[in-house]
Every structure is written in structure tokens, then in C-alpha cells.
Amino acid sequence: MTETIRSKQYADSVALDDEEAVVRVLYESVLGLWGVVNNLSRLRPVRWKGFRVTIFGSARAEPGTFAYEEVKLLAQDLAAMGCEIVTGGGPGLMQAANEGAMAAGRGEQSIGIRIQLDFEQQTNPFVGHAYEHGTFFSRLHHFVLVSHAFVVVPGGIGTTLEALMIWQLLQVRRLYGTPLIMIGRMWPGLVQWAKDHMLGVEPHLANPIDFTIPRCVADRDEALAIIREYHEQWLRERAPIEEPAIGSSPSAPQSGP
């Protein structure tokens, strides 16, 4: 006589052959995971090691071209100022930025936030710390979480997507006090196009003040001047936390993100 073994049943169990119920459980579980991610992303460190500047730009620019050398010099100047450089970790102008940080002696503080693409097979050799992402969503969110300033240099559709996302977060005040600087002649046209079409209809599709968020500049010197102001303000705000009170002994240095 063969004994039939039956799985233990629970009042709230869902059989795998109940397709509608299974889909509902999966749907509710995924939404629950998004809630966890959103809640965790609210956490912010009390102290940061350094002022981080993210540079968005083309993966297609070759070393030796004008754009490549200018971005390398920009990152080198920022790193010499004490900033940490964050890029997408790939080739082109991302590599130029990481290379500039290394040239300034701050290669270990140079960060690459990567996603695997067919034409970006390897992390560029100048990245000090690399982070890999499986989705564009989580990668873009990572940029937002770690950056104190954003610089957009010439790029294609991906660079434009990144710039517009930061613009939108600043517009809806999900980001505060974070400069969005666009360098080069391609960006004023984009901002003007948006202004013409979004304010050229009734009702307006945006507020006039929204178009003051991106700061379009001609060259790296103008960008450096803007970031220097924000960096100096960041240092002033950080100083009271780091300096011990009068008469107290200095505390041991603490690490941060």
C-alpha cells in the first residue's frame, strides 16, 4: 500500500496552479520591495568624507580630442580643489574625468557607477572604486544619493537623460542646494527649446523659474567658479561639526561614506 504524502496546508496559502492568486502575491511583493527601497533611500550620513562632483558625458569621445582633454583638466582642477569625482565608470568623457582625478593624485577617491552595456564592456582603468548596477533606475538613483554637484559635458541620449532627471528632481525639490551645470554649446539650445515649447502654450507646462535651474556655461573655468562657491559653503557648514569645542581634546577621526 502506497502512502500518499500531502503538503501541509495553511489557511492563507496560495496554490501554484492558482495563476490569478500567484500573480497577486508577486505584484504585492514587488510593491513591498519598492517601499523598502524608498524607505532606505531616505537615510543620509551625518558626515561625508568629501564633496562629490558627478560628471555626465559621452562614452564615445576619444582620448586626445578637445572634449576629452578639457574634461580631464576639469576633473583634475576639481580634484585639486578637494572634490571627489563620480562618473559612469565607462570610456569616453567618463574616463577623461576619472583620469583627471588620478592626475591630481586623487585616483583612490575617483568613483565609477557602472551598468553593463554592449559598447561599454570594461570599467575604465582610472576608476578607484567601481559599483555595478543591473538597472538604469538603481544606477541613476545611486548618482543622486552620493553627489553634491552635477556637471554635464557633451554627450548623447544617455547623457541627456541623466541631465533631465537631475533637472526634474531639482524642479520638484527632491534635491536641494545641488548645482546642475551644463558645459558647452549643445545645452543652451536644449534649455531654450524646452522653454519655448513649455511656456509657449496656455496653460504653461512648467514654471518660468524652472528654466533657471540648469546653469549653462561656456567652459570649464565658469563651471569651476560655480562649484568653488558650493564647495566653500560645504566646508563652512562642515567645519563646526569637525572642530572640537574649546577646551576639549580632539576626538579620533571618524570614517564616513
Side-chain angles (χ1 to χ4, degrees):
M1 180 175 180
T2 304
E3 182 180 356
T4 301
I5 301 175
R6 297 180 180 276
S7 62
K8 189 174 182 180
Q9 299 294 313
Y10 297 91
D12 61 348
S13 63
V14 174
L16 293 178
D17 58 356
D18 186 345
E19 183 175 347
E20 182 178 348
V22 168
V23 169
R24 184 170 63 252
V25 169
L26 292 173
Y27 178 77
E28 292 171 353
S29 298
V30 169
L31 288 182
L33 288 174
W34 282 123
V36 170
V37 171
N38 287 334
N39 203 33
L40 288 174
S41 68
R42 296 165 56 202
L43 300 175
R44 290 292 184 275
V46 176
R47 302 172 69 177
W48 295 83
K49 277 187 176 180
F51 186 90
R52 292 173 174 170
V53 180
T54 288
I55 298 178
F56 294 130
S58 172
R60 303 173 189 271
E62 295 291 336
T65 60
F66 177 79
Y68 189 100
E69 298 306 317
E70 282 294 298
V71 171
K72 183 168 71 173
L73 289 173
L74 169 67
Q76 185 173 340
D77 289 341
L78 288 170
M81 189 191 302
C83 301
E84 298 178 5
I85 302 301
V86 183
T87 76
L93 299 184
M94 293 175 281
Q95 177 173 307
N98 293 126
E99 185 178 354
M102 180 169 285
R106 295 181 62 87
E108 292 185 358
Q109 287 78 39
S110 184
I111 298 168
I113 301 176
R114 294 255 303 126
I115 189 167
Q116 193 70 19
L117 298 174
D118 291 340
F119 56 89
E120 294 180 28
Q121 294 298 318
Q122 301 294 331
T123 301
N124 76 66
F126 303 102
V127 168
H129 296 282
Y131 299 90
E132 297 286 338
H133 284 266
T135 68
F136 281 102
F137 168 81
S138 63
R139 181 185 184 229
L140 290 170
H141 195 51
H142 194 169
F143 283 122
V144 172
L145 291 177
V146 303
S147 304
H148 297 92
F150 296 91
V151 176
V152 187
V153 294
I157 294 171
T159 302
T160 304
L161 168 66
E162 291 159 346
L164 291 175
M165 184 199 70
I166 300 303
W167 187 357
Q168 195 262 343
L169 290 175
L170 288 165
Q171 177 207 22
V172 298
R173 299 178 182 273
R174 291 292 181 175
L175 284 176
Y176 295 90
T178 307
L180 172 61
I181 304 164
M182 298 178 165
I183 306 177
R185 61 186 182 183
M186 68 177 292
W187 302 114
L190 174 67
V191 175
Q192 189 61 48
W193 170 84
K195 186 175 183 179
D196 290 344
H197 289 277
M198 295 178 190
L199 298 183
V201 296
E202 292 293 343
H204 291 341
L205 304 178
N207 292 322
I209 197 172
D210 296 336
F211 301 96
T212 66
I213 293 172
R215 303 184 60 178
C216 296
V217 300
D219 53 40
R220 61 185 172 88
D221 289 335
E222 291 185 58
L224 283 167
I226 295 171
I227 293 176
R228 185 173 288 108
E229 292 180 7
Y230 281 87
H231 183 237
E232 290 174 352
Q233 178 183 347
W234 180 81
L235 290 174
R236 288 193 298 271
E237 293 172 351
R238 178 184 170 95
I241 299 175
E242 292 194 332
E243 294 174 0
I246 296 174
S248 64
S249 58
S251 59
Q254 300 180 21
S255 61

